[in-house]
Amino acid sequence: GIMFLNPGHWDAHYQLSLDLFTSAAESACATSDAALVKSYSETILAHSRSLDDRLPALCFAVKSLKESMNLPSCRDCAIEVLTQLGEDVSSVLEIPSQETIQITNNLLMSKMTDDSMIKMSPCTQMRAVFVMRLYHELNYVYYVFDQTRLLAISLRMVSLTFEIGLTDTSSLAFANYGVELIARGYLIGSRLGTVALKLAENSKYISYVIAAVKQYNLWVIEPLHAIAESHLVGFYSGKRVGDEFSSSLNFCLHLSTSFHCGKNLIQIKNSLSEYIVQLLENSQQWFLPQSAMLYWLIVELIEGPNFDLTEHNPLILNENGVMLFAASARHLELDIFIDGCKLMRSFLFRRDMTSCDGVLDRVVNATCQL
C-alpha cells in the first residue's frame, strides 16, 4: 500500500498515509523487526499533526524496544510518552502503602462482584487506552530492573480501570495485580486472576494473561500438570492472534513446568532444543538464558556432571565457545532459577540433586559472556 502512494502523499492523503504507516509499524512489531518499526515510527513522528496521531506508533516503538531487549530505551520512551499524556510517573512508581492496598482490596471485596467487573462500561477515551498499554510495557521492563515497582504499576492500572472503564488491557491490569497480591498473601489475587481470564477471552492479550495467571497466580490452587497444559493452550492462543512474544513465553513456561511436575526428561530436552533454535532464528532474546540453563541442567541429569557443553545444542555456542545471545538475566537470577528447578524436581522424586550445583558455574566459565 505504501509503495502505491504518490510523492507528497502526506499532504494530499494524510489520513490514508497515517493509517498505512501505522499498520506497517504494527506488522513489523508483530514480526520482531525492530529496524522496520523504527523506520515507520520515525516517518510518522516526522509528519503527524497531533499527539493522538502519533500515539499508536509510539506504543509500537516502545513494544519493539522491549522485545529487542533495549530495556533502558524502552523505559525512557514509555515514561516520556506517559508524561506527555499527563501521568505523574515518578509518583505512580512509588511503592504503595499498606493502607492504599487495603483500600483497593476492600473495594474489590465489598463492592465489586466478578460479574460487575466483567460488565463494567467500556472506556471511550483513546488516550486512556494508550496510557494503559504503556504501563503494561513498563511492567515488563521493571520485571527485569526493579520488581518492587510492579505492585505500584499494576495498582495504577486497576485504579485507572475503575475510573475510566474497561480497555483492551484491563485484563492485564487484573492479572498483574492479582499476581502481586498472591505474592503478598492476599488470596483475593486468585479471584482477580479468574476475572482476568474471563475478560481476556477472544482478545489479543489472551496469551499473556494465561501466562501470568496460570504461572504466578493459580498455581496456588491448580495442579502443576494442569498449569503445564494451560501454557500449551496459551502458546497456541498467542500464535492465533499474532502475539509471538507471549506465545514464546507460554512455551517456555510449559517446558519448565513440565520439568517441575516430572515429565520425561528426554522429551523436554528435545522440545527445548527445537525451541532454542526457533528463538535464535526469530531473534527473541527474552527467553534464551532460562531455556539454555534448563536445557543444560537436564543434560547433566541425564549424562552426569562431566558432560561436554560444546556437544549439546552447539547452536547456542559459536566456534569459540561464546554465547550467541545477550543474556537478559544476571548470574544471580539464573542461579535462583536453576535452584528453583532443582528444588521442585527433588521434592517430586525425593532425590538429592546437590551434585548438580556446579552446572551454572561450568556454563558461565565455558561461555564467558553469559
Side-chain angles (χ1 to χ4, degrees):
I2 289 172
M3 291 175 65
F4 277 111
L5 292 172
N6 295 319
H9 58 85
W10 280 103
D11 293 322
H13 306 287
Y14 174 76
Q15 191 60 49
L16 176 62
S17 301
L18 180 65
D19 291 343
L20 284 170
F21 274 82
T22 301
S23 296
E26 181 179 15
S27 300
C29 186
T31 54
S32 301
D33 193 331
L36 269 182
V37 175
K38 185 173 185 290
S39 173
Y40 289 130
S41 298
E42 287 178 347
T43 303
I44 292 170
L45 295 181
H47 294 91
S48 58
R49 297 173 182 173
S50 68
L51 175 59
D52 291 333
D53 289 347
R54 291 191 289 274
L55 278 176
L58 288 169
C59 281
F60 297 138
V62 168
K63 185 177 181 181
S64 178
L65 289 169
K66 173 202 72 179
E67 295 185 5
S68 59
M69 289 301 297
N70 191 347
L71 299 184
S73 296
C74 174
R75 176 195 57 197
D76 296 344
C77 185
I79 291 175
E80 180 183 346
V81 179
L82 283 167
T83 302
Q84 292 179 40
L85 290 169
E87 287 289 299
D88 185 357
V89 181
S90 58
S91 296
V92 169
L93 292 177
E94 292 178 2
I95 298 173
S97 65
Q98 199 68 30
E99 182 183 3
T100 302
I101 298 171
Q102 197 60 52
I103 290 172
T104 305
N105 291 352
N106 289 341
L107 171 65
L108 289 169
M109 294 177 70
S110 62
K111 296 184 179 179
M112 302 291 290
T113 64
D114 292 4
D115 199 49
S116 64
M117 281 189 273
I118 293 168
K119 292 182 178 179
M120 278 193 291
S121 300
C123 173
T124 57
Q125 307 169 40
M126 282 310 298
R127 287 196 175 193
V129 171
F130 287 109
V131 167
M132 291 280 285
R133 292 177 184 175
L134 288 164
Y135 272 128
H136 176 59
E137 301 302 339
L138 269 187
N139 194 75
Y140 271 113
V141 174
Y142 279 100
Y143 182 81
V144 175
F145 280 151
D146 184 1
Q147 295 187 10
T148 63
R149 308 296 171 185
L150 299 182
L151 175 62
I153 294 171
S154 59
L155 181 59
R156 176 58 179 155
M157 291 180 72
V158 169
S159 300
L160 274 172
T161 296
F162 290 151
E163 291 174 20
I164 62 177
L166 291 175
T167 72
D168 58 351
T169 50
S170 292
S171 59
L172 308 178
F174 290 128
N176 292 333
Y177 189 54
V179 168
E180 294 303 312
L181 290 181
I182 285 289
R184 289 161 177 78
Y186 294 101
L187 293 183
I188 188 178
S190 61
R191 178 186 158 205
L192 289 181
T194 303
V195 169
L197 287 170
K198 290 179 180 176
L199 280 173
E201 287 178 358
N202 302 316
S203 84
K204 63 181 179 180
Y205 294 110
I206 180 61
S207 184
Y208 173 84
V209 172
I210 288 174
V213 171
K214 293 293 184 177
Q215 187 71 13
Y216 304 108
N217 188 322
L218 295 185
W219 63 269
V220 176
I221 56 176
E222 287 192 16
L224 285 177
H225 281 85
I227 291 174
E229 293 307 309
S230 294
H231 286 312
L232 206 52
V233 173
F235 166 72
Y236 289 115
S237 297
K239 291 287 186 184
R240 178 172 52 81
V241 298
D243 186 356
E244 287 292 334
F245 187 84
S246 298
S247 180
S248 284
L249 170 61
N250 269 291
F251 200 70
C252 182
L253 294 174
H254 166 70
L255 293 172
S256 60
T257 309
S258 296
F259 175 85
H260 295 156
C261 64
K263 295 287 181 70
N264 183 277
L265 287 178
I266 293 177
Q267 290 180 356
I268 301 172
K269 170 179 167 288
N270 293 338
S271 295
L272 269 169
S273 180
E274 295 174 4
Y275 174 62
I276 288 168
V277 171
Q278 290 175 6
L279 291 178
L280 288 165
E281 289 176 348
N282 297 330
S283 300
Q284 291 181 321
Q285 303 286 327
W286 269 86
F287 315 113
L288 277 166
Q290 292 86 345
S291 301
M293 291 309 307
L294 181 58
Y295 179 89
W296 281 315
L297 176 61
I298 291 173
V299 170
E300 184 168 50
L301 287 171
I302 295 172
E303 301 201 5
N306 297 318
F307 73 95
D308 186 349
L309 281 165
T310 58
E311 289 183 2
H312 292 279
N313 213 19
L315 281 174
I316 297 178
L317 306 172
N318 65 16
E319 63 275 8
N320 299 316
V322 179
M323 282 275 179
L324 293 177
F325 60 86
S328 63
R330 296 169 297 180
H331 185 141
L332 176 62
E333 290 168 343
L334 285 176
D335 210 357
I336 292 170
F337 172 74
I338 290 298
D339 282 346
C341 289
K342 290 189 296 185
L343 185 63
M344 293 187 73
R345 188 91 181 181
S346 59
F347 278 150
L348 185 69
F349 291 107
R350 304 292 191 270
R351 174 181 171 183
D352 181 8
M353 297 179 67
T354 53
S355 61
C356 300
D357 284 347
V359 65
L360 179 66
D361 291 327
R362 288 192 63 234
V363 170
V364 170
N365 292 334
T367 58
C368 306
Q369 296 183 359
L370 180 65

